[in-house]
Structure formats: structure tokens, C-alpha cells
């Protein structure tokens, strides 16, 4: 059991005990120094990775000495502490508004208006690493995908690779081991030669069943949200090795919503996306305001606005692509899971004029239920995304899809409420106002009154969406 000395009063606490939550694990150098990132728990109004502190303490005879704060605090996220081969402590922090690399006692090592790394959804994130000779290698986000670079002076010198997504970076002698992927290649364990160039694929996650000419490659696009701010996304055009659409025809569009809600569209091969593009659909993977990889200010656009800003942005992204001639405005559908599933349901309730149909996969339907029954890591998460609970109960109700069931006219597939990683394996109480979905045939199993229902993931939605998008017939 690792003990950490609290910054408040010097009282030792077990890791993860009430009051403190460690979000970046621990790193030990020569068995005499420990660095860890911690945050107060629960931190009302903060995302789990916001405003933590990076602390360092000596280890003496197996006990922690006096800890000192290295970085972090209000308005700053800090993560991924790591010791270089020479013993210098490094970490990522967004003091400038962007997640840049730092060394203890120095400013940003390579200042740039780009994010290196992202939220700590899981332990062990590694978006930078040291080779044996101390060379620092890091990945950072660009609109079209991640880039990889070597620290030279005060800048990251790009390394040309065929990949657009990197994770789990680790030095391996004078080479870099990582998980890498691209728009044409699935994720794989790769060894990169940063001196002579080239790479070796050690293990692929899966085979690619499509010829290169049949793979749709995404193009980043920007669009103007209804309040005038800029938002972003990835557009996949239809692609086929054997078929070509009518030249005068605009393709139907599937709008895909990531989860989180502070996640991001992935810049790597997705067979789920290719399933649509290979059948003549275009796909838009929307990075609505609040998504990660665009700096802290962009991520914080979702503060107090989840269930509103994300919903409007998805509708605006669809309208933008239709106006650009990249999609048929009469044949647009939307799908998403978890937090993205809630966005789907709200889009169908509030923007039924934009979307012909939708599929919500284990989407959040009741924000109050999520706020009161979730795990420790995301405790009070919704205070920042929606409003303080229970003071903002009216806002929670207004943005919960269950409260707008009567406004949903088109739903291909879906299950009401979450039964996923966010909460316990719990049961969701179906209120009487949700029975309207049953009467319209929008819920694929009989639900009545206040029956408790164990919710499961729905079946594949492709055939149902194709049918609905071709008929565009609202349910009465």
C-alpha cells in the first residue's frame, strides 16, 4: 500500500482515500524519490484531471519525507510526471493554455499552440518518452492527426512517419516503441528508428479487409457554430474500389459523436466508419466544443453547456457540410454511444428538422441519475459540465433526453439510459413520460410505467438507418 503525505496538514493517507485521488500513478527514481499527481476529491465543478498538483517527496527507509509542490493548481492541468535518465523531473502542463512539455525549474521546453497528451481517462498515459541517451521524443495533436518529434533546442523537430495516432510511447535503446495507427492502418505495436528512419511493425491489432483504394481518408474541416465560434470535425467521403456514385448526387451523411463528453475523434482507421463509406455514405466525426486536442480554452467551452453546445454544434456541422455540397441535407442521420448517445437523443428531440434518424448506443438519458450514481473518478464531474448538483436540478432535467421523449420522432435503435462503464451495473427507472417512445415503437422492447429495466447494448443499426434515411418518414 502506497502512502502519500497530504499537502493539507501533513497527514498520511492511503492512495485514493477520501480527500485525495491520485490520477497519474507514481514514478520512483533510484528508490529514493517519488513523484505523483494528485487532486482533491471530490472536486466540485472540476473535471477529473483539472487543477491537480504534482508533488515530489523523498523516500527514506520506505517512508515518505516532506512533500513539495512542483506544478499545478487552479486553472492548470498537469500530468505524466517522468524522470529523465539524468534525474530531471519532466511533466506536461497547460499553463499557457496548451498541454506542453516542462522540466522542473524551467518553462515550457518546446512552446507551441498544440496539445501534447490529453485527459487522464486511464492510468499510464505516455505521450512522450526518453531514449537511453536522454533524447526526448513526444507526440502532439494536429487537426489531421498526431505528429511525432524529437526535442532539439527549444522546439520539437518533426519525424516523418506514416502514422497519425500515437500512444504508449517508451524508449527502447535508441529506438521508440509505441502503439501507432493511421487512416489506412489499424493500431499496431511499432518500433521506430528515429536516427536512420523507418519502422518495424511487431504486432498488428487486426488485418485490414479492404484494398487501399476502398479506404476513406478523413479530411479535417472547420465550421462556424451558431454563436459565431469555430468548431471542428473530420469528414470522410464515400470510397469504393468497385462503385462510383451518380455525379449529380450528394451522398447521405452519418454524423458520428464521440464519448466523454470531453473525448475527441480518433485519427486512425475505423472499420465502423468504413462500413458506411464503403456503402456510399459520407461520415462526419464531430469534435464539438469541449473536445480535447484543441487547447484548454476549447475544452472548457463545454463548461456548464453539456447537453446544449454539443447538440447545437452537431446540427451546425451537418448543416455546414450540406451547404458545402458534401452531404444531402434530406438524408442525414446521427449516431453515438455513452455521452455521444445523449447528444444523439437531444439532437433528435431538438433538431429533428436536420436529422432523418439516429441511433443511440447505451446513451445517457437521465443526467440526474448519472450525477447521483457514478464512480469515484468522475464524482462531481457533471458539476462542471452541467451545473452544481442538486442546485442546478432544473438544468439537469431540461437537458435530459427522457424529459423530451415526446419530441423524438425518429429513432432507429436505442436503449434508454446507461448501463456501461460510468456507473455501477445499475437499473434505470423508466418514468411514465418515457412510455411515449414505446407507443411509437422507438424503443425495441416493451417498457411500461415505472418498470425497472436492465439495459443492454442495442443490435447493429446499419440496416435500420438505411431504411429510415431512404423513407425519412417520421413516426406519428
Amino acid at each position: 500500500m502506497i502512502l502519500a503525505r497530504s499537502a493539507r496538514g501533513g497527514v498520511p493517507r492511503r492512495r485514493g482515500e477520501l480527500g485525495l485521488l491520485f490520477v497519474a500513478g507514481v514514478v520512483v527514481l533510484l528508490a529514493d524519490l517519488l513523484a505523483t499527481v494528485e487532486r482533491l476529491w471530490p472536486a466540485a465543478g472540476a473535471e477529473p484531471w483539472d487543477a491537480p498538483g504534482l508533488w515530489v517527496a523523498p523516500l527514506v527507509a520506505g517512508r515518505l519525507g516532506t512533500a513539495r509542490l512542483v506544478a499545478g493548481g487552479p486553472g492548470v492541468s498537469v500530468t505524466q510526471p517522468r524522470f529523465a535518465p539524468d534525474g530531471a523531473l519532466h511533466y506536461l502542463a497547460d499553463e499557457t493554455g496548451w498541454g506542453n512539455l516542462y522540466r522542473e525549474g524551467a518553462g515550457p521546453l518546446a512552446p507551441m499552440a498544440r496539445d501534447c497528451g490529453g485527459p487522464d481517462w486511464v492510468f499510464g498515459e505516455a505521450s512522450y518518452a526518453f531514449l537511453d541517451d536522454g533524447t526526448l521524443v513526444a507526440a502532439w495533436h494536429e487537426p489531421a492527426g498526431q505528429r511525432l518529434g524529437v526535442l532539439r533546442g527549444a522546439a520539437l523537430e518533426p519525424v516523418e512517419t506514416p502514422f497519425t495516432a500515437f500512444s504508449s510511447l517508451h524508449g527502447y535503446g535508441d529506438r521508440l516503441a509505441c502503439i501507432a495507427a493511421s487512416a489506412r492502418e489499424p493500431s499496431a505495436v511499432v518500433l521506430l528508428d528515429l536516427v536512420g528512419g523507418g519502422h518495424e511493425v511487431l504486432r498488428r491489432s487486426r488485418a485490414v479487409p479492404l484494398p487501399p483504394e476502398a479506404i476513406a481518408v478523413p479530411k479535417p474541416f472547420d465550421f462556424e457554430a451558431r454563436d459565431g465560434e469555430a468548431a471542428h470535425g473530420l469528414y470522410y467521403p464515400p470510397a469504393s474500389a468497385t462503385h462510383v456514385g451518380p455525379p449529380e448526387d450528394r451522398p447521405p451523411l452519418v454524423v458520428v459523436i464521440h464519448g466523454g463528453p470531453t473525448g475527441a475523434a480518433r485519427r486512425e482507421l475505423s472499420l465502423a466508419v468504413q462500413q458506411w463509406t464503403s456503402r456510399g455514405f459520407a461520415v462526419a466525426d464531430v469534435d464539438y466544443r469541449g473536445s480535447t486536442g484543441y487547447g484548454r480554452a476549447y475544452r472548457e467551452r463545454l463548461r456548464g453547456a453539456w447537453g446544449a453546445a454539443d447538440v447545437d454544434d452537431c446540427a451546425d456541422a451537418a448543416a455546414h457540410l450540406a451547404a458545402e455540397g458534401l452531404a444531402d441535407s434530406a438524408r442525414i442521420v446521427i449516431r453515438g454511444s455513452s455521452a455521444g448517445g445523449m447528444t444523439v437523443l437531444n439532437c433528435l428531440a431538438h433538431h429533428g428538422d436536420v436529422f432523418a434518424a439516429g441511433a443511440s448506443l447505451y446513451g445517457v438519458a437521465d443526467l440526474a441519475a448519472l450525477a447521483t450514481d457514478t464512480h469515484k473518478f468522475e464524482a462531481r464531474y457533471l458539476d462542471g459540465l452541467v451545473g452544481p448538483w442538486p442546485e442546478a436540478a432544473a438544468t439537469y432535467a431540461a437537458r435530459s433526453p427522457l424529459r423530451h421523449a415526446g419530441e423524438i420522432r425518429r429513432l432507429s435503435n436505442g436503449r434508454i439510459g446507461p448501463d456501461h462503464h460510468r456507473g455501477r451495473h445499475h437499473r434505470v427507472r423508466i418514468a411514465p413520460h418515457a412510455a411515449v417512445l414505446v407507443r411509437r415503437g422507438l424503443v425495441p422492447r416493451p417498457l411500461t410505467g415505472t418498470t425497472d429495466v436492465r439495459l443492454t447494448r442495442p443490435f447493429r443499426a446499419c440496416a435500420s438507418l438505411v431504411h429510415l434515411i431512404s423513407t425519412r418518414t417520421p413516426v406519428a
Side-chain angles (χ1 to χ4, degrees):
M1 178 70 70
I2 295 176
L3 297 180
R5 191 170 302 279
S6 169
R8 286 160 171 75
V11 179
R13 302 173 187 261
R14 288 182 175 85
R15 185 171 73 174
E17 188 174 318
L18 181 65
L20 293 175
L21 179 66
F22 291 79
V23 297
V26 295
V27 183
V28 179
L29 172 70
L30 301 177
D32 64 357
L33 199 61
L34 177 146
T36 186
V37 175
E38 69 174 14
R39 67 181 281 264
L40 291 179
W41 181 92
E47 295 170 356
W49 41 82
D50 271 350
L54 171 57
W55 295 83
V56 173
L59 284 170
V60 182
R63 299 178 65 86
L64 284 176
T66 302
R68 57 185 175 83
L69 180 65
V70 174
V76 177
S77 292
V78 59
T79 185
Q80 296 189 33
R82 237 169 230 99
F83 291 105
D86 65 2
L89 177 62
H90 291 66
Y91 55 92
L92 296 178
D94 60 3
E95 293 180 10
T96 65
W98 299 89
N100 284 184
L101 284 160
Y102 286 78
R103 182 176 59 244
E104 183 181 5
L109 297 179
M112 59 194 311
R114 296 286 185 231
D115 278 335
C116 300
D120 285 317
W121 283 110
V122 297
F123 292 132
E125 295 284 6
S127 56
Y128 72 97
F130 296 96
L131 306 186
D132 284 358
D133 63 0
T135 299
L136 192 156
V137 186
W140 68 91
H141 294 273
E142 298 273 1
Q146 285 181 290
R147 298 292 306 276
L148 194 70
V150 176
L151 183 65
R152 308 286 190 200
L156 285 168
E157 182 179 295
V159 175
E160 296 303 321
T161 77
F163 304 108
T164 56
F166 301 93
S167 61
S168 300
L169 275 62
H170 293 279
Y172 188 74
D174 61 355
R175 293 184 291 175
L176 181 76
C178 65
I179 297 175
S182 73
R184 296 186 182 277
E185 292 288 338
S187 58
V189 179
V190 174
L191 269 180
L192 292 164
D193 185 347
L194 303 176
V195 178
H199 67 275
E200 177 185 357
V201 176
L202 303 180
R203 181 69 178 266
R204 284 187 170 85
S205 59
R206 68 188 309 162
V208 181
L210 297 171
E213 61 271 21
I215 296 176
V217 176
K219 302 173 183 177
F221 72 94
D222 300 328
F223 63 95
E224 185 177 309
R226 60 194 56 203
D227 60 3
E229 292 189 348
H232 316 288
L234 296 177
Y235 175 79
Y236 293 80
S240 173
T242 57
H243 294 76
V244 178
E248 71 283 356
D249 193 23
R250 297 179 181 181
L253 176 70
V254 180
V255 176
V256 177
I257 313 303
H258 62 69
T262 50
R266 300 178 67 86
R267 275 68 171 170
E268 60 187 71
L269 178 66
S270 166
L271 295 185
V273 169
Q274 301 301 321
Q275 174 185 347
W276 294 104
T277 56
S278 63
R279 288 161 172 79
F281 285 77
V283 171
D285 206 340
V286 180
D287 275 338
Y288 52 78
R289 288 168 296 170
S291 304
T292 54
Y294 300 92
R296 186 184 184 98
Y298 191 79
R299 190 180 79 234
E300 290 182 342
R301 295 285 194 273
L302 204 61
R303 285 283 178 89
W306 187 32
D310 54 312
V311 176
D312 290 342
D313 283 1
C314 290
D316 292 343
H320 167 81
L321 292 173
E324 292 291 315
L326 299 174
D328 183 348
S329 62
R331 297 183 294 166
I332 300 177
V333 297
I334 185 169
R335 73 191 312 267
S337 58
S338 187
M342 187 184 89
T343 303
V344 168
L345 294 173
N346 278 330
C347 279
L348 295 176
H350 305 301
H351 295 291
D353 58 327
V354 176
F355 299 103
S360 174
L361 313 182
Y362 56 99
V364 176
D366 188 349
L367 284 170
L370 182 61
T372 56
D373 184 16
T374 190
H375 52 81
K376 179 186 252 187
F377 184 65
E378 292 186 4
R380 317 303 295 190
Y381 184 27
L382 269 60
D383 279 20
L385 292 172
V386 182
W389 176 265
E391 294 83 355
T395 303
Y396 280 70
R399 296 183 189 169
S400 293
L402 274 181
R403 305 291 178 174
H404 303 283
E407 301 168 46
I408 297 177
R409 294 292 188 272
R410 303 178 180 96
L411 180 64
S412 168
N413 291 300
R415 300 289 186 180
I416 301 175
D419 183 18
H420 56 13
H421 63 281
R422 279 270 165 88
R424 304 186 184 96
H425 190 74
H426 61 281
R427 292 151 72 91
V428 178
R429 199 166 189 80
I430 304 302
H433 54 250
V436 66
L437 295 182
V438 181
R439 292 196 299 270
R440 290 180 178 153
L442 297 176
V443 178
R445 64 176 297 174
L447 310 176
T448 58
T450 58
T451 302
D452 285 336
V453 179
R454 187 171 295 281
L455 303 173
T456 58
R457 298 189 181 201
F459 49 85
R460 288 179 176 267
C462 181
S464 298
L465 280 180
V466 171
H467 171 73
L468 276 174
I469 204 172
S470 63
T471 60
R472 194 175 171 86
T473 303
V475 181

